[in-house]
Each structure stands twice: as structure tokens, then as C-alpha cells.
Amino acid sequence: MIFDAPTTDALFVEVAVPVPIGPELKFFDYKVPEELRTKIFEGSLLSVPFGARKSWGIAWRLKSESKEPKLKSISDVLYDEPLLDAEHRKLAEYLALRYFYPIGEVCESVLPAAVRKASKKLLLQVPKEKKIKDKAE
């Protein structure tokens, strides 16, 4: 798989989070902290705050602006390499629309079980200072 280099002007990212939120393509906007701007790609697996819990999500689109007034920041990029390239993300969108299934849950089903399991363990290992920083925002 070939991925574009990360861009440092991506201040925001649309994330597909595996939650049962309806059949449309629903993405959630997050801020990209400065220290993660060179590490994030479209297709990266991320640790994100979702409500009162931590979750994971796939970085869908990097963008320079967001219409949402109050956003949380992503917590971390869980792997050095993106997990889904543009073709796989396009396939996931097709499946979500075709079968009326939430895009985040489609992403969860296309990832290998070993990656999903490892991601859950990685979420539990987020450093305490990152957890404290997220609560302050």
C-alpha cells in the first residue's frame, strides 16, 4: 500500500468511530495536536475520547478547518503506518451505504481480529498525562 506523506497543515481530522449511530456516513471531527501532525495519515488508527470513554477510530480525512465550534483532540496515533488506504476506505464507504451500517462499525469489521485486540490493549496503555490533558479540555 502506498500512502501520502503526512501534512503538517492538517489541524483537524474526520474520524470513523465504531459506534452504532445510524446508517449514514457519520464522521466525528477532532483537533490534531501539534505533536501528532507529522505522525497522522488518512487511514491511521487513532485513540480518541468519545463521550466519557476512550475509543479508537480511523482517520478518514485530514482538513485545515472544521465547522464544529468545540472539539476534543485525538489522544494518540496507535500505529506508525496507516491501516486503511484510500481503496479500502472507499470500499468501507460503499459497504456502509449499501448495507445501511455505520461506517465506524464497517471499519471495525474489516480490520483483522489481531489488530482490533491489540488496539484495545493499546487504548488501556495511554499515558496518564494524556488522560489528564484530555479531561482539562
Side-chain angles (χ1 to χ4, degrees), residues 48-62:
V48 295
F50 193 81
R53 65 184 176 96
K54 284 280 185 201
S55 185
W56 62 268
I58 300 290
W60 214 259
R61 271 178 217 89
L62 299 174

Side-chain angles (χ1 to χ4, degrees), residues 24-135:
E24 74 276 356
L25 295 177
K26 175 69 175 154
F27 300 98
F28 298 92
D29 284 0
Y30 287 88
K31 289 188 279 187
V32 179
E34 193 169 332
E35 66 271 13
L36 296 178
R37 289 185 189 154
T38 59
K39 297 178 182 179
I40 188 171
F41 294 86
E42 291 181 348
S44 292
L45 185 66
L46 309 173
S47 170
V48 295
F50 193 81
R53 65 184 176 96
K54 284 280 185 201
S55 185
W56 62 268
I58 300 290
W60 214 259
R61 271 178 217 89
L62 299 174
K63 52 192 192 174
S64 58
E65 57 185 48
S66 174
K67 293 180 182 175
E68 298 296 324
K70 192 172 181 182
L71 297 174
K72 293 182 179 182
S73 295
I74 63 172
S75 302
D76 205 358
V77 177
L78 297 177
Y79 291 98
D80 293 335
E81 298 287 326
L83 296 182
L84 297 179
D85 62 13
E87 282 187 42
H88 287 98
R89 291 193 315 276
K90 188 174 180 179
L91 174 62
E93 285 183 9
Y94 169 78
L95 292 171
L97 292 171
R98 174 76 170 95
Y99 295 104
F100 303 104
Y101 207 67
I103 187 69
E105 294 200 351
V106 170
C107 291
E108 183 175 39
S109 66
V110 300
L111 293 176
V115 171
R116 290 193 308 266
K117 216 177 216 184
S119 298
K120 287 179 183 175
K121 287 181 183 176
L122 285 171
L123 285 176
L124 297 174
Q125 297 173 2
V126 174
K128 283 185 179 180
E129 58 272 5
K130 285 196 177 198
K131 290 179 184 178
I132 292 168
K133 184 179 175 185
D134 287 342
K135 287 181 182 179

